[in-house]
Amino acid sequence: MPRTFVVLAAIVTLSVLSHRPLLGQEGAPPAGGPGGRPHPMGGAHGPMPKPTNLKVLPKDTSPEDVIKVMKGYTQQLGAQCGLCHANNAATKHPDFPSDQKPEKNTARTMMLMTQEINAKYLSQIHDPDAAPDQKTVTCGTCHRGHSMPVTFKPPAKPATGPSGMHPKPKGNS
Ligand code: HEC
Ligand code: HEC
C-alpha cells in the first residue's frame, strides 16, 4: 500500500470519527433513518459495492477505506462528492465508478503527484524535528479547503524589523 494512502487514511479516519454528521453534506437522503448510518452511495440499500474502477488506489481497497479517502478529499478541497463524480442521468444518484467528469481524472493526476512528492522528494529531507504530518504533503497542503488553490499573495504591508524590505544603511549609527 503506498505510504501516502496510509497517511491519508489515518488522517481521514481521525476526522471521520470526530465529524460523523458530515455525510449529510452530500445532499443524499439519510438511508439509515435517525441514528442509522447514512449510506454513502446516495441512499441505495444493501452493503457498499466493491469499487470497480480504481486506477490509482490499490484495486483491493475496501469500500469503507475508499469512502474514508473520499471524505478526506471533500474536507481538504472544501468540496462535495459532486466536484469529481457525475450523477447518473436516470437515477439522479452519483455514479461513482463513472469517469465522466474531467475533475475525477484531474484528481487521479493529483493523487499520483502527491504520492511522488512524498516518496521521491520529501523522503530525501532528513529533519528529525518535523512531525509526520509536517513532512508529508497532502491535498490540503496546497488546496487548504478550496477546490482551486488560492494564489498566495504576500501581505501588503512590508515587514518591519531586520528582515524588512528597507534594511538600515550600514555603519550610520
Ligand atoms: C477531488 C475529487 C473527488 C471527490 C471530491 C470525491 N471523489 Fe470519489 N473518487 C475520486 C477518484 C479520482 C476516484 C478513483 C480513484 C482511483 O482511480 O484509484 C474516486 C472513486 C470513488 C469510488 C469508487 C468507485 C469505483 O467503483 O471505482 C467511490 C465509491 C467514491 N469515489 C465515492 C465518493 C464519495 C462518497 C465522495 C464524497 C464523500 C467522493 N467520492 C468524493 C475523486 C473524488
Ligand atoms: C502541490 C500542490 C497540490 C497538491 C498537493 C494537490 N493539488 Fe490539486 N491542484 C493544484 C493546482 C495548482 C491546481 C490547479 C490546476 C489547474 O487548474 O491547472 C489543482 C487542481 C485540482 C483539481 C481541479 C479543481 C477544479 O476546480 O477544476 C482537483 C479536483 C484537485 N486539484 C484535486 C486534488 C487532490 C484530490 C489532491 C490530493 C490527492 C490534490 N489535488 C493535491 C495543486 C495541488
Side-chain angles (χ1 to χ4, degrees):
M1 218 182 252
R3 211 185 52 180
T4 311
F5 173 66
V6 175
V7 171
L8 276 180
I11 293 168
V12 166
T13 308
L14 288 175
S15 49
V16 165
L17 290 175
S18 51
H19 297 287
R20 284 214 55 135
L22 190 84
L23 266 173
Q25 285 183 4
E26 290 158 42
R37 189 169 71 155
H39 198 285
M41 300 300 153
H45 296 280
M48 291 190 211
K50 283 217 165 81
T52 54
N53 191 22
L54 298 183
K55 297 176 178 170
V56 177
L57 295 173
K59 297 228 183 277
D60 60 353
T61 307
S62 74
E64 291 79 10
D65 284 346
V66 169
I67 297 304
K68 283 177 193 160
V69 172
M70 294 300 142
K71 290 174 74 68
Y73 294 164
T74 62
Q75 292 177 331
Q76 297 180 68
L77 272 68
Q80 305 204 341
C81 314
L83 171 69
C84 301
H85 293 288
N87 266 353
N88 178 307
T91 66
K92 312 272 187 235
H93 288 307
D95 180 355
F96 290 116
S98 159
D99 287 345
Q100 195 186 320
K101 289 203 77 174
E103 287 85 353
K104 187 178 178 189
N105 265 323
T106 300
R108 286 192 171 110
T109 306
M110 295 275 155
M111 293 161 77
L112 293 169
M113 176 184 76
T114 305
Q115 285 174 11
E116 186 157 337
I117 292 172
N118 287 316
K120 190 168 167 189
Y121 299 104
L122 283 177
S123 63
Q124 298 181 41
I125 308 296
H126 299 292
D127 179 2
D129 299 334
D133 62 331
Q134 289 176 314
K135 41 179 148 191
T136 311
V137 165
T138 66
C139 316
T141 307
C142 295
H143 283 268
R144 302 198 165 263
H146 303 276
S147 56
M148 273 299 282
V150 175
T151 308
F152 174 72
K153 292 198 190 80
K157 263 191 174 176
T160 51
S163 60
M165 302 275 288
H166 306 289
K168 278 185 189 158
K170 266 186 194 164
N172 261 357
S173 62

